């Protein structure tokens, strides 16, 4: 298989390493030429992805920010051809899918929205690893939902990455869910660490602190773009959180231990309902 990778950060670099480890050929494009040159020199990629060799790819993965994915595919759409399956790997789906589905229809190539549910708080090719996606979920947003052959083709081409589960949904459902499962965690973590107490926490913190603050270390420009693109769903989740936090604060302000206990028990019970113990 010949795979084209657009963007050699953590996500694209890990895809490149996974496909190379599985014995496939990898062609890559990156905004920074020095990163591309290093990827080729180190064996992460076999060569540069260009408009001349793009039509020979079996799979093309767009591993850049949503607007950058739209811009790249807009420029390269006339050269894609019939052979490649193009999948974006952006963190939100409505904006990129709304732009790329029409491009695919206009130029006659096959495009799917996608989101690999894996990553770390670090970014860049230096942190990429071939096993990043092993056992992780992959979300697919197809143009239609009754094309079994297309979905089977996507699963087959994504198999070398080692995903544990591939689910199919709409762009709207994806963005509503990701506002809660991913974006909210980053907002809360990033806001929590701003307490003045954080500067003197050493010696007083353990697992809870580490768990809550891990994703405060983030790629600010990327997450800002994702947050703004998904701000309607994210604001809904933020409002729910603020209302819930206000209830805890009110109970403490009123010295109402019984109500505070009830709220804590309610949260514990909810965790058991959705995730088990």
């Amino acid at each position: 298989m010949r795979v084209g990778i657009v963007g050699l950060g953590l996500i694209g670099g890990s895809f490149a390493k996974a496909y190379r480890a599985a014995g496939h050929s990898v062609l890559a494009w990156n905004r920074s030429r020095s990163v591309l040159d290093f990827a080729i020199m180190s064996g992460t990629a076999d060569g540069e992805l260009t408009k001349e060799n793009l039509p020979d790819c079996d799979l093309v993965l767009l591993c850049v920010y949503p607007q950058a994915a739209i811009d790249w595919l807009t420029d390269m759409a006339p050269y894609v051809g019939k052979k490649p399956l193009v999948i974006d790997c952006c963190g939100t789906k409505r904006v990129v899918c709304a732009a790329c589905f029409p491009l695919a229809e206009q130029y006659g190539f096959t495009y799917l929205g996608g989101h690999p549910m894996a990553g770390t708080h670090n970014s860049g090719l230096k942190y990429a690893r071939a096993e990043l996606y092993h056992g992780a979920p992959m979300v697919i947003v197809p143009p239609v939902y009754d094309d079994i052959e297309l979905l089977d083709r996507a699963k087959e081409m994504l198999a070398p990455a080692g995903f544990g589960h591939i689910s199919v949904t709409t762009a709207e459902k994806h963005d509503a869910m990701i506002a809660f499962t991913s974006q909210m965690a980053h907002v809360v973590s990033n806001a929590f660490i701003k307490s003045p107490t954080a500067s003197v926490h050493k010696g007083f913190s353990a697992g809870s602190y580490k768990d809550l603050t891990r994703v405060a270390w983030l790629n600010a420009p990327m997450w800002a773009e994702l947050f703004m693109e998904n701000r309607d769903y994210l604001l809904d989740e933020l409002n729910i959180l603020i209302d819930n936090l206000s209830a805890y604060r009110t109970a403490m302000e009123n010295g109402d231990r019984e109500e505070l206990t009830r709220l804590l028990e309610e949260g514990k019970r909810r965790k058991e309902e959705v995730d088990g113990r």
Side-chain angles (χ1 to χ4, degrees), residues 5-263:
I5 306 287
V6 178
L8 288 170
L10 174 69
I11 298 302
S14 294
F15 270 122
K17 291 186 176 184
Y19 280 95
R20 287 286 286 120
H24 300 290
S25 173
V26 172
L27 300 173
W29 177 92
N30 194 75
R31 181 182 59 181
S32 171
R33 181 73 205 196
S34 61
V35 174
L36 175 60
D37 288 342
F38 176 79
I40 296 172
M41 180 183 66
S42 63
T44 300
D46 296 289
E48 183 178 3
L49 178 66
T50 66
K51 65 182 181 182
E52 288 78 21
N53 57 32
L54 174 60
D56 297 324
C57 291
D58 300 287
L59 174 66
V60 177
L61 298 171
L62 309 181
C63 305
V64 290
Y65 300 178
Q67 189 56 54
I70 293 169
D71 293 343
W72 187 91
L73 194 56
T74 299
D75 291 341
M76 301 299 284
Y79 310 104
V80 176
K82 302 288 186 180
K83 184 179 180 181
L85 173 62
V86 181
I87 303 177
D88 87 83
C89 299
C90 302
T92 57
K93 295 271 68 75
R94 285 177 294 171
V95 170
V96 69
C97 286
C100 294
F101 280 140
L103 282 173
E105 184 174 358
Q106 178 182 355
Y107 290 98
F109 62 86
T110 305
Y111 161 78
L112 295 172
H115 187 183
M117 303 302 299
T120 73
H121 58 282
N122 294 310
S123 59
L125 180 61
K126 66 182 291 186
Y127 297 104
R129 50 192 178 89
E131 67 276 11
L132 180 67
Y133 305 112
H134 287 188
M138 174 69 175
V139 180
I140 292 292
V141 177
V144 294
Y145 297 90
D146 57 356
D147 191 339
I148 303 302
E149 290 186 5
L150 174 58
L151 294 177
D152 286 344
R153 179 185 172 197
K155 291 177 181 179
E156 180 181 355
M157 291 192 173
L158 290 168
F163 290 106
H165 177 72
I166 294 180
S167 57
V168 180
T169 188
T170 64
E172 290 76 15
K173 289 181 179 178
H174 168 277
D175 286 2
M177 188 60 67
I178 218 69
F180 173 73
T181 61
S182 177
Q183 295 180 343
M184 275 290 290
H186 286 79
V187 170
V188 171
S189 181
N190 196 265
F192 175 82
I193 199 64
K194 293 178 181 179
S195 167
T197 312
S199 62
V200 293
H201 78 84
K202 290 184 179 179
F204 295 86
S205 57
S208 298
Y209 170 84
K210 291 179 181 178
D211 289 344
L212 187 54
T213 60
R214 181 180 65 84
V215 293
W217 186 285
L218 47 69
N219 182 331
M222 180 190 76
W223 283 103
E225 180 175 336
L226 295 174
F227 291 164
M228 292 303 292
E229 287 187 358
N230 209 34
R231 62 185 178 273
D232 51 352
Y233 287 129
L234 185 54
L235 283 169
D236 287 344
E237 293 294 343
L238 274 171
N239 288 333
I240 292 170
L241 176 64
I242 290 168
D243 287 345
N244 285 328
L245 288 174
S246 295
Y248 289 88
R249 182 176 62 186
T250 298
M252 285 184 272
E253 286 175 341
N254 295 338
D256 192 339
R257 182 172 179 176
E258 182 178 346
E259 173 62 6
L260 181 59
T261 301
R262 186 194 69 78
L263 290 169

Side-chain angles (χ1 to χ4, degrees), residues 265-277:
E265 289 287 357
E266 183 182 59
K268 175 186 174 183
R269 185 167 58 251
R270 185 59 176 154
K271 172 64 176 175
E272 291 174 348
E273 289 172 355
V274 298
D275 292 326
R277 297 192 66 176

